[in-house]
Amino acid sequence: MKLVLFDCDGTLVDSVGLIHEVMARTFVHFGYDRPDVSLTKSIIGLTLDIAIARMQGKPHVDDEAVAMTAHYKAIFSDTRSEAGFQEPLFGGITAMVETLAKRENLLMGAVTGKSRRGLDLIMDTHGFRQHFIVSRTADDCPSKPHPAMVTECCGQTGIVPADTIVIGDAIYDMQMAKAAGAKAVGVAWGYASVDDLWKAGADAIVEHPSEIPGHIPG
């Protein structure tokens, strides 16, 4: 039995437009200039308070980063409801998930820097809840690249890390997988460069979701 754990933002859904807009509005609200989208992309995958502190160049989360995190969360839903700020699936994701769901030798789950509420919204919007039987979010575990999200999913399912594949678009996903003792598969359509994914420890890189099943032994 194999366990396949997917990152969400940049892997399953294209959420950079929404994340960047909410982040930019948060920074402006606290008297800062709008950050460049490249800076926002660089922190996607981290837990929100750590992401904000890192965008500010701070070595750790301080009171302002905590306040900015609360503001981000407060305005997220209203921003998401505006035209143009939804979180669409990347092309080919639905077919890939349905293909894997038919395999009796694997279980699927999600490991994400999103909140539990944010992940549930994605799962329900796209009809994935029935397929993803285990998950860990920023509300449950330390931020990536800490291995807890992976190891806790392994513990819940009874599948060891050596039989687990983490699929993600960020260097933090690759680092988390290797720290947990799992296989790391990077996706080329996300927000980190392919070179950075290799450097972070990727065991393989896929160019399209249809390639993912081929990287899962069975």
Side-chain angles (χ1 to χ4, degrees), residues 13-203:
V13 296
D14 188 1
S15 51
V16 67
L18 173 62
I19 292 172
H20 179 63
E21 183 61 24
V22 180
M23 194 69 78
R25 293 182 187 185
T26 297
F27 270 63
V28 169
H29 180 80
F30 280 80
Y32 295 96
D33 293 336
R34 286 177 65 96
D36 188 81
V37 67
S38 63
L39 182 59
T40 301
K41 285 183 177 181
S42 74
I43 54 78
I44 292 176
L46 294 172
T47 300
L48 185 56
D49 56 351
I50 295 174
I52 289 173
R54 188 164 297 184
M55 288 179 70
Q56 294 180 301
K58 296 175 180 176
H60 55 77
V61 176
D62 60 10
D63 289 344
E64 183 181 50
V66 170
M68 292 175 73
T69 297
H71 183 78
Y72 180 106
K73 291 180 177 180
I75 67 172
F76 185 89
S77 292
D78 285 345
T79 306
R80 189 181 190 275
S81 67
E82 296 177 18
F85 291 121
Q86 284 67 50
E87 298 169 283
L89 293 172
F90 286 102
I93 291 295
T94 297
M96 178 271 296
V97 169
E98 291 176 350
T99 295
L100 293 182
K102 295 174 183 176
R103 290 176 55 171
E104 296 182 355
N105 66 328
L106 65 82
L107 301 175
M108 283 188 287
V111 284
T112 176
K114 278 186 174 299
S115 66
R116 173 62 58 183
R117 179 183 177 187
L119 178 62
D120 286 348
L121 184 60
I122 293 296
M123 293 291 107
D124 292 338
T125 297
H126 300 294
F128 286 168
R129 188 183 287 271
Q130 61 181 325
H131 300 313
F132 286 69
I133 58 90
V134 65
S135 62
R136 290 296 185 274
T137 72
D139 296 331
D140 309 313
C141 294
S143 179
K144 301 173 184 180
H146 193 285
M149 289 187 184
V150 176
T151 57
E152 289 191 13
C153 287
C154 289
Q156 184 175 335
T157 59
I159 299 175
V160 298
D163 289 326
T164 299
I165 301 95
V166 175
I167 299 172
D169 75 301
I171 60 172
Y172 315 113
D173 299 313
M174 305 299 99
Q175 293 167 343
M176 175 180 67
K178 305 316 289 184
K183 180 179 179 180
V185 176
V187 304
W189 57 84
Y191 308 140
S193 72
V194 168
D195 283 347
D196 285 343
L197 294 175
W198 284 122
K199 291 175 183 176
D203 295 298

